[in-house]
Amino acid sequence: AHTLPCKAADAAKICHRMTSATELVQACATHGLFNGPALDRIEKSCMSYVIVGDTIPLRDGAHKKIKVVSCALLLAEAIACIHQGESVSGLFKLPTNEDAKKASLRKQLSTTSVPPQ
């Protein structure tokens, strides 16, 4: 594997020129692989925070501007889809209001007990 040239420093400079103190600046990355002075640069930048998956442990402990989210549920759902012979492409679509309604209905149905007949 190799690392592509990163233009994050240039983006941070542009971000600093374009934002006011009231604006929220966010970034996200699949893997939080922060080499060299990357974490220090993020901490000193105008970015509000960077969201990363928990696929790689962060070095040097906690950082105020790094938010780590779990990938466990996504991986579990991918394994279940593969095991059941279903497509995993649906896991990468953004949910719609209709999807939220269906999920809510499924949850209600799964928690509703049906009296025996």
Side-chain angles (χ1 to χ4, degrees):
H2 64 283
T3 304
L4 296 175
C6 181
K7 299 293 182 182
D10 294 337
K13 289 175 190 173
I14 293 168
C15 159
H16 185 68
R17 287 194 302 259
M18 296 176 63
T19 59
S20 70
T22 59
E23 292 182 86
L24 184 67
V25 179
Q26 307 167 50
C28 62
T30 306
H31 309 290
L33 184 59
F34 301 107
N35 293 319
L39 289 170
D40 291 332
R41 289 177 180 164
I42 290 169
E43 293 296 329
K44 293 175 185 173
S45 76
C46 65
M47 284 189 281
S48 302
Y49 54 87
V50 178
I51 303 168
V52 297
D54 64 351
T55 56
I56 297 174
L58 288 180
R59 62 179 169 83
D60 302 333
H63 298 276
K64 292 186 305 183
K65 291 188 175 184
I66 307 295
K67 308 292 183 197
V68 180
V69 296
S70 174
C71 296
L73 182 59
L74 177 63
L75 292 173
E77 289 183 12
I79 291 168
C81 286
I82 293 166
H83 179 72
Q84 296 168 2
E86 298 174 359
S87 172
V88 296
S89 63
L91 298 176
F92 302 101
K93 294 179 183 172
L94 292 175
T96 63
N97 285 340
E98 189 63 31
D99 294 331
K101 290 176 189 174
K102 288 178 185 176
S104 176
L105 180 59
R106 278 195 300 271
K107 184 176 180 182
Q108 288 175 357
L109 291 173
S110 68
T111 59
T112 304
S113 60
V114 178
Q117 293 183 356

